[in-house]
Amino acid sequence: MVLAEHTCLPCQRMSWRPQYRSSKFRNVYGKVANREHCFDGIPITKNVHDNHFCAVNARFLAIVTESAGGGSFLVIPLEQTGRIEPNYPKVCGHQGNVLDIKWNPFIDNIIASCSEDTSVRIWEIPEGGLKRNMTEALLELHGHSRRVGLVEWHPTTNNILFSAGYDYKVLIWNLDVGEPVKMIDCHSDVILCMSFNTDGSLLTTTCKDKKLRVIEPRSGRVLQEANCKNHRVNRVVFLGNMKRLLTTGVSRWNTRQIALWDQEDLSMPLIEEEIDGLSGLLFPFYDADTHMLYLAGKGDGNIRYYEISTEKPYLSYLMEFRSPAPQKGLGVMPKHGLDVSACEVFRFYKLVTLKGLIEPISMIVPRRSDSYQEDIYPMTPGTEPALTPDEWLGGINRDPVLMSLKEGYKKSPKMVFKAPIKEKKSVVVNGIDLLENVPPRTENELLRMFFRQQDEIRRLKEELAQKDIRIRQLQLELKNLRNSPKNC
């Protein structure tokens, strides 16, 4: 009898049946920004790749856009709300569609992008935003043999970047030298998602091979692995220091589902809970300061939120933000960019493709007092790195450097990204520098190169024909000159 009651517990915690319990976040509500505080007229990409296509920090909003040929994204200062002009400058150096963008957590004008052209690029956005199109990247990183779908910055170390490609590999880049320093080669299919624990000592991934992995990133060793047959995983997120993972995916009945795992034992999930029967991907977002989990569905307008605890029932449903406008992706504002005076604990930037609109949604804890609410704003990871690349690669782990939000966001001494100076190498074969003449990396680039070569061949043939005519004329003149004295 006791066993029967225990097995029914997950059914009692369905998302549409709220559990009323004592929680300071029980009444959190979502507040949509006024239209004048939204970003309008943006040609949001129609790419079907399952990413957010949006990245936000305390200064800029970046959105991947639709473009003819190559790939591009917009970078807009946060204060520049309202309608964006059609000819607004773009970052447009990639030769293929841009698939992911992420801001450097420690230098707020440095952004990484990856693309179908197999490259990862690092861009430096000037003060005040772009005044003209930017085509030259600060750093171009080539190491993948197929398109690159994901980039992630290390959470505590400056200038360490992870990239996951369709070649099934994860490369770890040290941007101080501009080279890949490690390769994780344990996946047998496309990597869908990457997430770090708090100090960046562990990396968890989901993969199209239906496996969930916990990896030691410096050695590439797989510490734990789950073969998810009943729960096909799509996305995963570390739950702070709880030693827990949360995954979203699809059940055997094709319903959307979430599962909670012990990171040290992936043999069985702690709980599984069905959400609904919709088909869109579920994006999980975790706030380690409030222990709140947000679930946002791609293609629907709802955002559910839960409170996570270390004891049963582990997952407590709080409420749901509803909107009729479907979301393509969501950007998340870092903690130091929130409005603490309004008791804002989370902020989304919602991409509404049909309207070309970016809509800020603030998650607010209702409080009557105007004073600083210390219970909902603990010390939080700040904008100062805890480690250098050499320290982290040498095996040191360190928790993030924390900051208080009480006095508002104070900028730490400004860090500057210095691109490594690379000596120009050359490999000359038959008078051609093979490194200077890089082979095409995408089909579009191949076609462009093919047509350029066809034009060049046509021009050379015409030039050769003219030279032949000229040679014949000179031969005739020479013959006439030789014959003229005899005629005289």
Side-chain angles (χ1 to χ4, degrees):
M1 193 67 177
V2 174
L3 181 61
E5 287 179 1
H6 177 72
T7 54
C8 290
L9 274 175
C11 297
Q12 294 171 0
R13 295 194 302 278
M14 302 302 275
S15 61
W16 54 81
R17 196 172 296 175
Q19 297 282 316
Y20 291 103
R21 56 190 288 277
S22 176
S23 170
K24 55 193 166 190
F25 303 111
R26 196 180 73 184
N27 297 314
V28 168
Y29 66 94
K31 182 181 178 183
V32 181
N34 297 329
R35 189 66 184 235
E36 59 267 22
H37 294 120
C38 296
F39 301 84
D40 199 0
I42 295 174
I44 301 168
T45 180
K46 295 181 175 63
N47 195 309
V48 295
H49 190 72
D50 284 329
N51 263 348
H52 294 294
F53 299 111
C54 178
V56 193
N57 65 14
R59 291 178 60 196
F60 297 108
L61 169 68
I63 314 104
V64 179
T65 59
E66 193 70 12
S67 60
S72 64
F73 58 95
L74 288 174
V75 176
I76 307 168
L78 285 183
E79 63 274 9
Q80 195 174 327
T81 54
R83 187 157 192 85
I84 304 300
E85 294 299 322
N87 57 350
Y88 193 88
K90 295 178 181 179
V91 179
C92 50
H94 281 287
Q95 277 79 49
N97 291 326
V98 175
L99 299 180
D100 198 14
I101 48 176
K102 293 282 167 56
W103 288 105
N104 186 320
F106 310 115
I107 310 175
D108 53 13
N109 68 331
I110 297 294
I111 188 168
S113 64
C114 63
S115 166
E116 290 181 350
D117 65 7
T118 75
S119 73
V120 177
R121 304 191 186 203
I122 310 299
W123 309 86
E124 183 177 22
I125 307 303
E127 293 289 331
L130 299 175
K131 305 301 180 192
R132 60 183 64 86
N133 284 350
M134 179 178 282
T135 56
E136 292 296 322
L138 201 60
L139 205 55
E140 290 188 21
L141 308 173
H142 296 284
H144 290 281
S145 59
R146 297 182 65 188
R147 60 180 172 169
V148 188
L150 296 169
V151 284
E152 288 287 347
W153 295 91
H154 192 275
T156 63
T157 308
N158 191 32
N159 285 346
I160 290 288
L161 182 72
F162 286 62
S163 64
Y166 276 61
D167 52 6
Y168 313 157
K169 294 177 176 58
V170 177
L171 294 183
I172 306 176
W173 302 88
N174 179 357
L175 302 188
D176 281 355
V177 296
E179 299 288 345
V181 288
K182 302 281 182 182
M183 182 177 71
I184 300 171
D185 191 14
C186 60
H187 301 88
S188 59
D189 211 324
V190 175
I191 299 143
L192 302 174
C193 182
M194 298 189 289
S195 177
F196 290 98
N197 66 343
T198 304
D199 65 2
S201 61
L202 296 176
L203 173 72
T204 180
T205 64
T206 57
C207 181
K208 264 193 175 179
D209 62 11
K210 300 179 183 177
K211 289 184 180 179
L212 170 67
R213 295 174 175 87
V214 176
I215 302 165
E216 203 291 312
R218 282 167 292 214
S219 66
R221 188 162 55 94
V222 178
L223 305 178
Q224 288 287 326
E225 186 176 281
N227 199 348
C228 309
K229 293 180 180 177
N230 298 331
H231 169 73
R232 297 198 304 274
V233 290
N234 285 321
R235 291 292 180 272
V236 62
V237 63
F238 262 106
L239 301 181
N241 288 320
M242 289 186 177
K243 295 193 173 180
R244 299 279 191 270
L245 303 172
L246 185 123
T247 59
T248 67
V250 181
S251 71
R252 65 171 76 179
W253 298 283
N254 283 331
T255 56
R256 296 199 293 192
Q257 189 182 52
I258 59 175
L260 189 69
W261 307 77
D262 182 345
Q263 75 178 39
E264 295 176 350
D265 181 12
L266 298 184
S267 57
M268 283 284 289
L270 298 173
I271 59 167
E272 288 181 344
E273 183 169 318
E274 291 185 18
I275 302 299
D276 56 32
L278 298 178
S279 60
L281 182 71
L282 272 178
F283 292 115
F285 302 90
Y286 181 65
D287 181 0
D289 295 345
T290 61
H291 305 298
M292 285 179 67
L293 170 75
Y294 300 86
L295 296 178
K298 182 178 180 180
D300 58 76
N302 303 339
I303 301 174
R304 298 171 176 85
Y305 35 105
Y306 301 76
E307 193 168 7
I308 305 283
S309 61
T310 53
E311 299 174 354
K312 291 182 178 180
Y314 303 122
L315 196 65
S316 303
Y317 175 80
L318 294 173
M319 212 177 287
E320 183 174 359
F321 167 82
R322 298 192 176 192
S323 166
Q327 58 222 5
K328 183 179 181 67
L330 293 159
V332 174
M333 173 64 74
K335 276 284 180 172
H336 58 262
L338 299 179
D339 183 0
V340 295
S341 63
C343 295
E344 183 184 35
V345 291
F346 216 74
R347 190 191 305 164
F348 294 101
Y349 284 78
K350 174 178 170 178
L351 275 65
V352 186
T353 310
L354 296 176
K355 299 179 181 177
L357 184 70
I358 310 295
E359 192 176 64
I361 302 170
S362 297
M363 310 307 292
I364 293 173
V365 180
R367 294 285 172 95
R368 292 181 180 176
S369 173
D370 292 334
S371 61
Y372 180 72
Q373 308 293 313
E374 291 194 28
D375 59 326
I376 62 174
Y377 294 117
M379 297 286 282
T380 190
T383 57
E384 185 181 338
L387 293 167
T388 65
D390 290 340
E391 288 174 334
W392 183 78
L393 291 168
I396 299 174
N397 295 319
R398 200 170 290 156
D399 285 334
V401 178
L402 303 180
M403 64 181 287
S404 171
L405 302 178
K406 186 170 184 177
E407 304 301 326
Y409 172 47
K410 290 183 178 178
K411 287 187 180 179
S412 54
K414 186 172 180 181
M415 297 183 65
V416 178
F417 180 83
K418 293 182 179 178
I421 300 171
K422 294 184 179 180
E423 292 182 9
K424 183 172 178 178
K425 300 175 183 177
S426 63
V427 180
V428 179
V429 178
N430 295 334
I432 300 172
D433 188 345
L434 297 182
L435 296 183
E436 186 70 28
N437 295 274
V438 180
R441 295 187 178 87
T442 65
E443 188 176 345
N444 287 338
E445 194 175 340
L446 179 65
L447 285 171
R448 284 199 298 271
M449 187 172 285
F450 171 75
F451 289 126
R452 279 202 302 269
Q453 288 178 343
Q454 291 295 307
D455 290 340
E456 181 69 10
I457 290 169
R458 196 177 300 113
R459 186 186 65 79
L460 290 172
K461 280 183 177 178
E462 289 174 358
E463 189 176 332
L464 188 61
Q466 290 174 358
K467 299 280 187 188
D468 283 339
I469 293 169
R470 181 61 179 153
I471 288 170
R472 288 196 202 98
Q473 288 176 345
L474 290 172
Q475 284 175 337
L476 187 59
E477 288 179 12
L478 185 61
K479 188 176 181 181
N480 290 338
L481 285 171
R482 284 175 178 171
N483 294 334
S484 62
K486 295 177 182 178
N487 293 336
C488 294

